[in-house]
Amino acid sequence: MSLGRREFLAWGTAATAGAALAPVISLVELAQARSPEEAASSLRRWGLLIDITKCADCDECVTACHTENGVANNGRPRTDAQWIRKVNLRDKRTAVAQTLPLMCQHCEDPPCVDVCPTGASFKRDDGIVLVDKHTCIGCRYCVMACPYGARSFVHETVTGQRPDVPRGKGTVESCTLCVHRVDRGDAPACVEACNRDGGKAMLFGDLNDASAEIHRRLHAEPSAQVRADLALDTGVRYQGL
Amino acid sequence: MTPTQFREIEGRSGGFFALLCTLVLLVLAGLGAAWHMEHEGHHVTGMSNRIVWGTPHVFAVFLIVAASGALNVASIASVFGRDLYKPLARLSGLLAVALLAGGLSVLVLDLGRPDRLIVAMTHYNFKSIFAWNIFLYTGFFAVVAVYLWTMFERRMNSHSARAGLLAFVWRLVLTTGTGSIFGFLVARETYNSALLAPLFIVMSFSFGLAVFTLVLMASFRGTGRALGDALIARLTRLLGLFVAAVLYFVLVYHLTNLYIARHHEVERFILLGGGIYTALFWIGQVLVGGVIPLALVFRPGASRSRTAAAAGCVIAGGLAQLYVLIIGGQAFPQALFPGKEVASSFFDGVVASYSPSLAEIALGTGGMALALALTVVGLKVLPFLPQSLSDAAIDPAET
Amino acid sequence: MNRIAVALLTLLLTFAGLAHPNDQRAGRVAVPVVKIEKSGTCVAPTEEMRRDHMKMLFHQRDRTVRQGFREPRFSLKGCVECHASRESGSVLGKEGFCSSCHAYASVKMDCFECHSSSRHQGPVGARR
C-alpha cells in the first residue's frame, strides 16, 4: 500500500495540529473538574497554602471541617477525633504569638504510609493521603509515626455519618482534604469557610498546575513547611511562619 | 554424662488444678476486658489520641521480648555448645512459644478491629516494619516448633544444632524488628534511635532468662524434682551479666541524648521532671530492675530465694522500663514547632495524661496468664522437664 | 437387617420432607421483606444482583477509595438512595432492604458501621 501525496499531506497536517493542540487540551482538562469515570491523576498534586499573617482568631475552618465530615464532639476531648485544629504559637525568646490551622500535611513521603502494616494508609496518585478504612485494623502505628499529630483513632461508635464520609469505630482517620468535594471540583470545606467567614488565609489548588494561583504564589513568594527538617515534602505550605 | 530423662509432670495434685484454674480465670478476665474495649470502643480505656499505645502494649512487648529471650537457654546449649544447658533446652523452647502466644494475643485483642485479623494476614505493606514482624512472629513459631521436634524425635537429634542455630538467628532478627517498631519512628524524639534494636536484644536476654529461671524453679519445686545448686548459680550469674548489659545500653542511650541539644528537653522529662515516668525510671527501671538484682546476684553466698527475688525484680523493672519507654515516650509532646511554645485543643505542647484502666491491666495480665497456662499444659502433655537436674545428674565437670 | 435400615431411612426422609415446607420454616425465621418501592430498573438484572452484589460493591469500593473513580453505577450511596425504606428512610431496621435479607441468610454485613444507611436526598423527604 502506498500513500498518495494528497493523503500524506492530509495526515501530516492532522498530526502536526494534534501535537500542537495536545498540551492545550490537557491544560483545559486540568482546569476542569474530573469526570467520575476518570481516576485521580499523578499529574496533579493537590495542596494548600496558608498565609498565617491573615489567619484570624477564629475557628471557622475547624467548624466547617467537622460539620462537612460529620466529626462529632462527644465531650471527651482526649478521645474525640480532630481532623483539623487551631494551634497557638508563642516564640520562647521573643513571645511573639501566632495562630494557625494544622491538619494532615499530605506529605509526598508520608511516614504514616510507610509504617502501615496492611497498606490501609496510602497516598492517592494526586497526593492526597487517605486511610482505606476497609483494610485498617486499628493498630494506631500511623498515629505513632505522624509528626503532626494529625491522626485520630475513632474511640467509640459513630452514628449519623455523612453519606460521603464513612467513619467507624476502631479505625484511624484524618483530614482527607475533603476528597469527596475535590473529586467533584470543589475546594475543601475549611478553605471555603475561611474565604467566606474567616481571614481569607487559605488557598487550595494543584501545586503542579502552572496556571493555578497556588502555583503562582508558591513560585513568587517565600513559604515554609512544618518540620521541614524531616524532608517529607508536605502538600500543605505556610506563609509567615 | 548419662542421657537426660524427660518426663511429663503428673498434673493431678490440687495445687496443679488450683494454679491452672487461677490462670484460666485470669485469661477469661482478659478476654472479658477485650470484649468490653471492643464493644464500647477504646474511650473506656486510659488510652487517647495522644497515648495510642497503653498498658496492653507494655505487657505485649514485654511478653514478646521475653519470648525471644527465653529461647536463649536452648541456644546456649546448641549454638554455643554448653552441654550443661542441654537438659533445659526443651523448656526453653516451650516458654518461648508460650510467651510469644501470650504477647501476640494481647496485641491482637487490643486492635481497633481485631475481627479483621485476616486482613493483616492477607494485605502486606513491605515497607512497614510491623508487617515484617507479622512474618517474624509466625516464623518464630514454626522455627521453634521444628527445633523442639529435633529435640524430641530421636532420629532428628542430629539436626538439633542446625535448627538451634536457625532459631537463634531468627530470634535476633525478631527482637531487632520489635525494637525497630520504635526505633524507626522518625518523628518522635523519644524513639528514633538505632540503639533501640540492640537495647531490645539485651532486654530480651535479661527478661527472658528471668522468666525462665522462675518457671524452672517453680516447676521443679512443684513436682519435687531435684534441681542442683551449680545450675542455679550458673543461671544467676548469667542473669547478672544480662542485667548489667541492659543498664549499660540504657546509660549509652541517655548519654547520647544528653549530648544532643534538641534532645535536652525529653531527657529532662524522663530523668528529672516527668513525674510518674521519672519515678518509674529511677525507682522501677534502674533501682528495682538493675541495681537491686545486681546486688542480689553478685553478693557472695548464694541462695535460691535470692535468685528468685532477683528474677522477680528483673521482671518488675522490665515492665517499668517498657512503661517509661512506650507510654512516657508518647506522653512527652512532639516537637511540632521547635523553639516555640505550642497550645491547642489537641493537647499539643503539653504532657499527655494517662492512667491505665482496669480493662487494660486485665487484658495485659490475661496475656501473661495465657503464656503461663500454655506452659503448664505443655509440661503436662509432653515430656519437657528433665526427671532430675541435680548436680550429680548433670555433668559437674563441665564448668 | 438391610431392609429395616432402608425402611427407617425412607421414613426419616419422608418426615424431613414433610417438615420442610415454607410455612413451617417461616414460623421460626422471618422471611425477608424485599420491598422495591422505587420504579425503574436496578443497575443489573435481579438474578445477578442477588448473586453478585457484594462483588460489585467490593470492586467499586477499591476503585473509588484507591484510585478516585466516582462512577455512580455501583456506588453504595446509590444503593441506599434507591432502596432505603419509604417510612424509615433506611436500608436497615426490621424491614430494611439490606438487613432483613441478611438476617434471613445469617450473613454479617460490615458496611453500615461506617457508611450511612439512610437516604439523604430524593423525593421521600426522609432527611435526618
Side-chain angles (χ1 to χ4, degrees):
Chain A
M1 190 192 103
S2 68
L3 220 56
R5 190 168 150 268
R6 189 176 297 230
E7 282 130 309
F8 176 78
L9 274 179
W11 278 108
T13 317
T16 317
L21 273 173
V24 181
I25 290 168
S26 68
L27 269 181
V28 170
E29 273 172 2
L30 279 176
Q32 285 166 349
R34 213 177 74 228
S35 102
E37 281 80 26
E38 222 180 308
S41 158
S42 55
L43 293 175
R44 298 176 202 242
R45 169 96 199 272
W46 295 117
L48 294 174
L49 179 61
I50 302 169
D51 183 351
I52 69 172
T53 59
K54 288 191 201 157
C55 181
D57 201 15
C58 72
D59 60 356
E60 295 294 342
C61 53
V62 179
T63 315
C65 168
H66 289 165
T67 309
E68 172 73 28
N69 294 300
V71 180
N73 180 354
N74 298 312
R76 280 183 275 275
R78 290 172 63 252
T79 52
D80 282 347
Q82 293 194 28
W83 288 23
I84 179 174
R85 62 193 191 268
K86 283 298 289 290
V87 176
N88 298 317
L89 304 180
R90 232 169 86 96
D91 194 284
K92 278 180 190 160
R93 184 168 274 279
T94 63
V96 170
Q98 288 175 307
T99 179
L100 56 87
L102 190 70
M103 73 295 276
C104 170
Q105 302 286 297
H106 297 282
C107 310
E108 179 69 30
D109 299 305
C112 58
V113 172
D114 290 347
V115 302
C116 178
T118 65
S121 192
F122 72 105
K123 187 177 61 137
R124 218 167 72 150
D125 279 348
D126 54 6
I128 301 180
V129 176
L130 296 170
V131 179
D132 184 345
K133 284 162 166 288
H134 304 109
T135 45
C136 175
I137 55 172
C139 73
R140 286 104 82 196
Y141 197 17
C142 56
V143 188
M144 293 287 277
C146 176
Y148 307 104
R151 290 209 156 169
S152 295
F153 179 64
V154 184
H155 283 77
E156 50 196 296
T157 307
V158 183
T159 51
Q161 292 92 335
R162 311 274 306 159
D164 283 317
V165 192
R167 302 177 61 225
K169 180 179 73 187
T171 55
V172 172
E173 60 185 17
S174 58
C175 157
T176 63
L177 213 60
C178 279
V179 65
H180 57 289
R181 293 169 61 97
V182 170
D183 279 351
R184 58 176 194 242
D186 293 339
C190 56
V191 176
E192 196 183 76
C194 183
N195 288 314
R196 189 182 56 227
D197 306 313
K200 301 182 173 47
M202 300 176 88
L203 178 65
F204 167 77
D206 179 2
L207 306 181
N208 291 343
D209 178 3
S211 68
E213 169 76 356
I214 194 170
H215 183 276
R216 189 191 62 71
R217 270 180 56 193
L218 279 171
H219 282 73
E221 303 161 16
S223 64
Q225 306 173 46
V226 181
R227 291 299 307 264
D229 57 320
L230 297 172
L232 302 172
D233 186 5
T234 58
V236 179
R237 305 287 171 116
Y238 290 86
Q239 286 186 314
L241 200 61
Chain B
M1 182 177 162
T2 50
T4 316
Q5 299 290 320
F6 291 91
R7 175 70 63 84
E8 297 91 339
I9 61 174
E10 228 5 42
R12 268 193 233 120
S13 66
F16 176 85
F17 281 112
L19 174 68
L20 201 57
C21 282
T22 314
L23 291 175
V24 168
L25 280 179
L26 284 172
V27 171
L28 288 177
L31 283 174
W35 183 84
H36 174 62
M37 282 161 59
E38 301 314 331
H39 185 74
E40 295 288 327
H42 276 63
H43 80 94
V44 296
T45 69
M47 290 181 269
S48 63
N49 279 322
R50 276 285 311 275
I51 311 281
V52 291
W53 287 354
T55 306
H57 301 81
V58 172
F59 281 95
V61 172
F62 179 87
L63 286 167
I64 292 168
V65 165
S68 54
L71 192 65
N72 268 359
V73 178
S75 301
I76 296 170
S78 57
V79 179
F80 300 102
R82 297 295 184 132
D83 284 340
L84 182 71
Y85 292 93
K86 218 160 214 167
L88 304 177
R90 291 183 181 187
L91 177 63
S92 164
L94 171 66
L95 257 183
V97 169
L99 289 169
L100 187 66
L104 288 184
S105 307
V106 175
L107 216 52
V108 165
L109 288 174
D110 174 76
L111 289 177
R113 297 294 305 250
D115 52 318
R116 287 196 185 146
L117 193 60
I118 190 74
V119 173
M121 298 291 172
T122 49
H123 292 66
Y124 288 106
N125 164 29
F126 286 104
K127 207 181 170 186
S128 166
I129 185 69
F130 225 100
W132 280 100
N133 276 324
I134 296 173
F135 283 101
L136 290 172
Y137 295 152
T138 42
F140 186 79
F141 284 123
V143 168
V144 177
V146 169
Y147 185 26
L148 282 173
W149 181 48
T150 62
M151 289 190 258
F152 275 88
E153 174 61 58
R154 194 158 303 187
R155 287 171 303 148
M156 299 299 292
N157 281 169
S158 56
H159 300 289
S160 186
R162 251 170 296 163
L165 182 63
L166 175 66
F168 181 65
V169 172
W170 196 280
R171 63 125 313 194
L172 288 182
V173 179
L174 183 143
T175 322
T176 304
T178 312
S180 300
I181 287 178
F182 299 95
F184 284 4
L185 289 172
V186 288
R188 286 183 190 264
E189 274 67 34
T190 37
Y191 308 127
N192 182 20
S193 164
L195 209 55
L196 286 181
L199 171 63
F200 268 60
I201 289 180
V202 291
M203 277 156 66
S204 81
F205 286 0
S206 171
F207 304 167
L209 187 59
V211 174
F212 179 87
T213 308
L214 280 181
V215 170
L216 180 74
M217 288 168 73
S219 57
F220 269 68
R221 196 182 173 150
T223 53
R225 301 184 192 197
L227 186 57
D229 284 330
L231 185 70
I232 293 284
R234 208 44 113 65
L235 291 172
T236 311
R237 272 206 303 277
L238 197 60
L239 183 64
L241 205 66
F242 290 159
V243 170
V246 172
L247 278 180
Y248 165 77
F249 270 89
V250 169
L251 179 73
V252 173
Y253 173 78
H254 286 290
L255 275 181
T256 314
N257 275 349
L258 284 170
Y259 213 85
I260 302 169
R262 89 187 134 88
H263 286 158
H264 283 177
E265 284 198 35
V266 62
E267 284 304 308
R268 193 172 301 130
F269 174 71
I270 299 288
L271 303 181
L272 290 175
I276 178 74
Y277 306 107
T278 304
L280 277 175
F281 176 81
W282 288 112
I283 298 172
Q285 179 179 342
V286 175
L287 188 67
V288 175
V291 177
I292 293 178
L294 281 183
L296 285 169
V297 164
F298 288 118
R299 233 183 67 195
S303 85
R304 275 170 201 228
S305 54
R306 210 188 282 170
T307 299
C313 281
V314 168
I315 292 172
L319 286 168
Q321 178 171 11
L322 287 167
Y323 195 93
V324 173
L325 183 94
I326 296 177
I327 296 172
Q330 295 170 82
F332 184 74
Q334 282 179 294
L336 278 172
F337 298 92
K340 309 218 192 234
E341 282 169 23
V342 186
S344 81
S345 58
F346 208 61
F347 305 98
D348 290 309
V350 296
V351 175
S353 64
Y354 172 82
S355 47
S357 62
L358 187 63
E360 289 169 87
I361 297 169
L363 178 57
T365 47
M368 288 206 154
L370 177 65
L372 290 178
L374 288 175
T375 310
V376 167
V377 172
L379 291 180
K380 184 174 158 68
V381 296
L382 282 173
F384 279 101
L385 277 193
Q387 284 275 53
S388 165
L389 283 173
S390 67
D391 288 344
I394 51 176
D395 191 357
E398 207 268 338
T399 39
Chain C
M1 182 70 207
N2 258 347
R3 204 170 288 188
I4 299 170
V6 168
L8 269 175
L9 202 67
T10 318
L11 206 69
L12 262 176
L13 283 174
T14 317
F15 275 116
L18 281 177
H20 185 74
N22 268 337
D23 54 338
Q24 279 200 337
R25 245 208 301 188
R28 283 178 289 142
V29 183
V31 171
V33 185
V34 184
K35 269 193 278 185
I36 311 280
E37 292 170 338
K38 227 172 160 183
S39 58
T41 49
C42 199
V43 295
T46 308
E47 274 313 304
E48 198 186 336
M49 289 311 293
R50 278 195 188 147
R51 208 172 41 243
D52 290 334
H53 64 280
M54 74 290 187
K55 285 187 198 153
M56 297 167 183
L57 285 169
F58 265 49
H59 181 66
Q60 187 62 39
R61 135 198 145 171
D62 290 339
R63 273 173 77 80
T64 302
V65 176
R66 296 270 163 181
Q67 290 159 283
F69 288 100
R70 296 269 183 182
E71 303 105 325
R73 190 173 169 212
F74 293 137
S75 91
L76 181 64
K77 210 172 107 186
C79 303
V80 173
E81 288 302 330
C82 249
H83 288 293
S85 134
R86 204 164 293 208
E87 293 93 60
S88 67
S90 170
V91 290
L92 299 185
K94 194 156 173 288
E95 299 202 338
F97 181 81
C98 298
S99 55
S100 63
C101 219
H102 273 265
Y104 181 73
S106 186
V107 176
K108 190 175 171 265
M109 257 187 309
D110 198 17
C111 304
F112 300 108
E113 276 194 34
C114 293
H115 285 272
S116 169
S117 59
S118 302
R119 183 190 285 116
H120 278 253
Q121 53 204 14
V124 189
R127 264 172 188 277
R128 323 205 263 164

